[in-house]
Amino acid sequence: MSKAGRLTHLYDEAKGNKWFYYFAVFCRIVLALAFFISGIVKIRGERFAAGLSVNNPMGHYLEALYHTEYYYTFIGISQLVIGVLLLIPRTAFLGALSYFPIILNICVLTYAVRFEGTRITTIFLLGNIYLLWWDYDRLKYLLQFKQGKENDRPARKKPLSNKFPFLFFGFVVGMIAAVIITNLYIYDIRPGNSPEECTNGCPGNRNPKACEAFCDCIYNQGKPLDECLNAYNKIANQ
């Protein structure tokens, strides 16, 4: 059996396992719920993460987005539609496909502004990738992968297996742990979600004085993130 054939066989085995199916359903529900909550807030014309200071880098972005009027509402409606698509079995693949560019954009944004929500957006992105993999038998035709004789067919239909995939779910737990741990050390400093959260992290910073200056720059002076980071690095390197 060729390498492609072995991969197809493993994919068929996963598609025939009820635990992989349950996990796909779980991911669809969680991702849809996240978009429902976010979408309803936008449709009702309310601020998303209203407790976040407008001087926070993410607060700057969300405040500007809030003032885009019907574009803000349009995003909310789109999120609700995608959430519904995810929950309907016949349209779940279309929902996952539509979800991906949005959650990827949100994930990159949270990392760019050093937002505390990087962990959850990364986990949502990974969940979305799993859903795309779950429907790989459909996705491969959209991506126009070269098909061999062994995989020129949809995954086999067979009774669902009850065998619990310990290795897979161990990998899932490991990935979540890796995301959480990596986000603890990826940045030397973050603005946090409030002035108090920012300054509370200063005692453990390599340069508490520079950290306090950074927090003051963000929340009291309201300067852009890049300027405050430059000021922080200048003081820290003195």
Side-chain angles (χ1 to χ4, degrees):
M1 183 183 294
S2 67
K3 184 176 181 180
R6 288 194 295 271
L7 291 175
T8 300
H9 176 72
L10 290 173
Y11 177 72
D12 286 353
E13 290 295 319
K15 290 286 284 189
N17 187 293
K18 72 174 185 179
W19 294 105
F20 283 92
Y21 169 73
Y22 290 159
F23 188 63
V25 173
F26 170 77
C27 288
R28 288 169 184 162
I29 293 173
V30 172
L31 295 184
L33 182 61
F35 264 23
F36 283 152
I37 295 173
S38 177
I40 290 173
V41 169
K42 293 180 177 67
I43 291 174
R44 293 175 62 178
E46 299 174 354
R47 283 178 170 82
F48 188 73
L52 197 63
S53 169
V54 294
N55 284 345
N56 181 285
M58 179 60 85
H60 275 303
Y61 174 85
L62 293 177
E63 183 67 13
L65 186 64
Y66 173 73
H67 289 288
T68 56
E69 297 185 358
Y70 59 83
Y71 176 66
Y72 190 68
T73 306
F74 169 75
I75 294 174
I77 294 173
S78 299
Q79 288 181 312
L80 283 185
V81 171
I82 292 173
V84 171
L85 292 175
L86 276 173
L87 295 180
I88 302 174
R90 283 185 172 272
T91 61
F93 172 59
L94 178 59
L97 205 60
S98 303
Y99 204 103
F100 181 73
I102 298 176
I103 195 61
L104 177 61
N105 176 71
I106 294 173
C107 187
V108 173
L109 170 65
T110 57
Y111 277 94
V113 297
R114 305 192 177 198
F115 186 53
E116 293 298 325
T118 50
R119 301 167 184 83
I120 191 64
T121 57
T122 305
I123 292 172
F124 280 177
L125 177 61
L126 292 175
N128 193 181
I129 291 173
Y130 173 79
L131 291 181
L132 293 176
W133 170 83
W134 177 254
D135 282 315
Y136 169 73
D137 50 336
R138 299 178 183 180
L139 182 64
K140 64 184 178 183
Y141 294 107
L142 291 179
L143 299 178
Q144 297 183 343
F145 287 161
K146 185 177 179 181
Q147 306 296 319
K149 292 183 178 180
E150 291 182 319
N151 55 3
D152 261 344
R153 52 159 179 74
R156 293 172 296 175
K157 294 182 179 180
K158 56 185 178 180
L160 294 179
S161 168
N162 292 321
K163 184 178 180 181
F164 188 81
F166 287 99
L167 184 62
F168 170 75
F169 283 102
F171 176 76
V172 170
V173 173
M175 286 294 294
I176 293 175
V179 169
I180 294 173
I181 294 172
T182 300
N183 272 271
L184 290 175
Y185 301 102
I186 191 172
Y187 297 119
D188 183 39
I189 191 169
R190 290 176 185 258
N193 291 337
S194 67
E196 294 76 17
E197 187 174 343
C198 185
T199 54
N200 286 342
C202 290
N205 188 273
R206 62 186 176 92
N207 193 314
K209 183 179 178 180
C211 176
E212 290 172 2
F214 171 80
C215 296
D216 178 71
C217 180
I218 290 288
Y219 288 103
N220 295 329
Q221 300 179 42
K223 292 184 178 180
L225 177 63
D226 56 346
E227 288 188 24
C228 295
L229 286 173
N230 288 336
Y232 166 77
N233 290 324
K234 184 177 180 180
I235 297 174
N237 294 327
Q238 286 180 350

